[in-house]
Amino acid sequence: MYGWRGKILRVDLTTRELKEENLDMKAARNYIGGRGLGIYYLNREVDPQCDPLSPENMMVLATGPLTGTSAPTAARYMVMTKGPLTGALTCSNSGGQFPKELKRTGFDALLITGKAAEPIYLWIDKGRAELRGAGHLWGKTVPETHEKLLGETDSRARVACIGPSGEKRVLFAAIMNDKHRAAGRSGVGAVMGSKNLKAIVVRGESLVPIADKDRFKEVQDRVMTKFRNAAKAAPSPLSQHGTIGVMTPLTQKSGVFPTKNFLQGTFSGWEAISGQTLTAKYLQKTVACWSCPVACGRYTKIEEPGFEGEGEGPEYETGFALGAMCMVDNLAAITKANYICNDLGLDTISMGVTISCAMELFDKGYITEKQAGGPVKWGDAKRMVELVRLTGYREGFGDQLAEGSYRLAERYGHPELAMVSKKLEMPGYDPRGLQAQGLNYATTPIGASHCRAHMGYCEMVGFPKPVDPHEWKGKARLVKLWQDVFSLIDSAGLCIFFSSRNLLRQELEFHPDGILEYLNAVTGAEYSLDELVKAGERILNAERMFLIKAGFSSKDDTLPRRMTHEPLTEGPAKGRVSHLPEMLEEYYRERGWTPEGIPTESKLKELGIK
Amino acid sequence: MTGRSMMVNVQLLGYLAKYSPTQKETFRLELEPEATIGGLLEKIDLPPDLEKMVLVNGHRSNEATRLADGDEVFIFSPAAGG
């Protein structure tokens, strides 16, 4: 067995039964791994209509066949489950060192069901798994949990755990690994908390076997030489200033930097919260995930009174959500709020966007000072930080914020002020100035995500080729192709940053040539390019079927009314709205779905989905 | 002549800052009236074969784009994506 380990571990927390099983190799070939394997098992074993926080829901933690090899950025794993924030599917991805270590235990995936009677953690030492009591860890923050677990297992082990937010089922709680990395979106941490599962600790020893080492070395040498030469000519600003240093100026200059709950597309305080300022004032060192030549991670330290701390972050999304969206131009406060999110286990995007929603509700008089336990004013940095802590522990007004933007806005009679798609908060790219990105938000299987395809690459950054960000015609085809190919990146175990630039054919119609080369060298499975492209489409359609069975359809492929009816009033995208309805029609046609957004029988048959 | 010249605000993202006259990412640059992006790139010695994107006031531009006094010019390498 090469690439894949050929084994999965089933964990029933209710009965405390642990069971090793062979990986279904036909499924592995057709669904690759990671995200693909996740949906394969969810579709077979989970009722899509189940309560996401009930014992019936299953969490799949899956690596890809490349995870843990020395292929560049082969550091990723995926958490798949039914999400409590959206009621839809989640696929929440993370890097760091934990995924590589999980792979080295000899398991491709963990399938976790049920609910433990008491807090518990899973310890996998090489190939041997056991459940241990976690009563002494309940209530502990992520760093505290991390340190204690290393002390009682193995100092070289790697930890993925929840903080108090997951325990208290904050609907956008994250699963944190390696202290600072987050499987952040859609509340995977709340699902883990609902199962009384505090942590998963892994220690592996067996390297991932490679089918053809000479071939792997040849591909590796070629890809890395090309990357290093390109980096010599124009080193990636991602390495120098992180995602926050690349995307903040780019979105700001393009007028798509969501500000003030998407009332604006530019932020006057953008320079103060950009990565360049972070580098100058707070950066201690850069941080790389396993086998990553980019190192976009930032280790920072803040000494400003009231905001002291150190840790990883912020990334671009955090700066946008806790900064521009809340009109906070204080980078020390944003970074502090980021540390709290990491310590308590919260998704920074949903957190910031939800506070921003509360600020607009307060500004318009829909929430009173009494209801919010005090004023919630635009730009109040100290209050923003306080609200993050309150949310993490579900205290005071934080208990309402813990339900996310949609439920908060609905509670006060104004759901239209929630900047969400499928109840998942939109990331930091305004769909009114990036048409394809908006269509992508409305159609990914998890709700508004910039990671299930990132159309900002062609619409804003200009690679692999620039396209007009304001044109909507013809975008549906691109979104379909990109979503399919991004699902392959996620399923192989790679990072979208490096892969999209270095492992895909640099044409607008992305083809996964580089992923194909790595997969074949590592697994020996001899995929053809067509087979791989088809696998990407299969994964997307299998995910869509989960949604359809959960009750979703075209009625849920939406953007907030603000995106389609309220033009931006300033900046380069002034006067623009999203043309989502027109693009959706094209999109369903491109996908071979009905006008209601349902995959047809013939499409499912073509892809071999039962 | 200097009375008729114009000033533009330029940002060179990340490592491109090494082509900045001040070595800082953002700087102001004096140009002849009616200068183009091509003229600006030549003035700061940005290698012509370097893959780059140029935004003028947020809109994608090319070397022939004519500049006006006070324009915001943003230059970056699409390698930014990774």
Side-chain angles (χ1 to χ4, degrees), chain A residues 91-258:
Chain A
C91 22
S92 214
N93 191 288
S94 183
Q97 305 295 329
F98 172 86
K100 168 260 302 176
E101 201 69 26
L102 171 60
K103 183 81 176 279
R104 286 186 177 178
T105 63
F107 296 109
D108 293 296
L110 311 177
L111 274 54
I112 302 171
T113 52
K115 179 185 177 181
E118 302 288 339
I120 213 166
Y121 75 91
L122 175 64
W123 163 224
I124 310 177
D125 187 9
K126 300 169 191 85
R128 209 173 52 81
E130 64 173 292
L131 290 165
R132 289 181 171 183
H136 61 302
L137 301 170
W138 211 248
K140 297 265 186 283
T141 64
V142 169
E144 288 165 354
T145 305
H146 190 97
E147 292 305 326
K148 277 204 166 294
L149 282 170
L150 292 190
E152 59 193 72
T153 56
D154 183 326
S155 60
R156 293 159 301 173
R158 298 287 175 177
V159 177
C161 68
I162 55 170
S165 305
E167 296 171 12
K168 291 177 185 293
R169 305 182 190 188
V170 174
L171 294 187
F172 47 90
I175 298 174
M176 304 298 300
N177 62 275
D178 303 294
K179 273 192 201 170
H180 310 288
R181 311 289 318 179
R185 305 229 64 195
S186 335
V188 289
V191 175
M192 193 155 153
S194 76
K195 297 188 175 308
N196 271 333
L197 179 61
K198 178 69 177 175
I200 297 163
V201 190
V202 290
R203 170 78 184 137
E205 59 176 1
S206 57
L207 297 178
V208 181
I210 309 275
D212 187 337
K213 285 184 182 158
D214 291 342
R215 193 166 161 198
F216 181 81
K217 186 175 180 309
E218 188 276 316
V219 177
Q220 185 85 333
D221 287 349
R222 181 156 37 84
V223 168
M224 291 312 295
T225 303
K226 198 173 160 206
F227 174 80
R228 287 196 195 100
N229 288 341
K232 252 183 237 161
S236 168
L238 271 180
S239 312
Q240 193 184 16
H241 295 308
T243 54
I244 191 169
V246 174
M247 287 305 183
T248 310
L250 258 173
T251 50
Q252 167 73 16
K253 302 276 179 179
S254 306
V256 294
F257 189 33

Side-chain angles (χ1 to χ4, degrees), chain A residues 320-328 352 355-356 359 378-380 384:
Chain A
F320 127 80
L322 295 162
M325 283 289 275
C326 299
M327 301 293 281
V328 168
I355 294 175
S356 171
M359 286 175 168
W378 296 118
D380 187 341
M384 180 274 289

Side-chain angles (χ1 to χ4, degrees), chain B residues 39-60:
Chain B
L40 184 154
L41 297 178
E42 212 170 296
K43 186 156 184 174
I44 59 173
D45 282 335
L46 203 73
D49 56 344
L50 194 71
E51 196 185 358
K52 60 193 160 292
M53 292 273 291
V54 181
L55 300 182
V56 176
N57 302 326
H59 299 287
R60 205 169 284 156

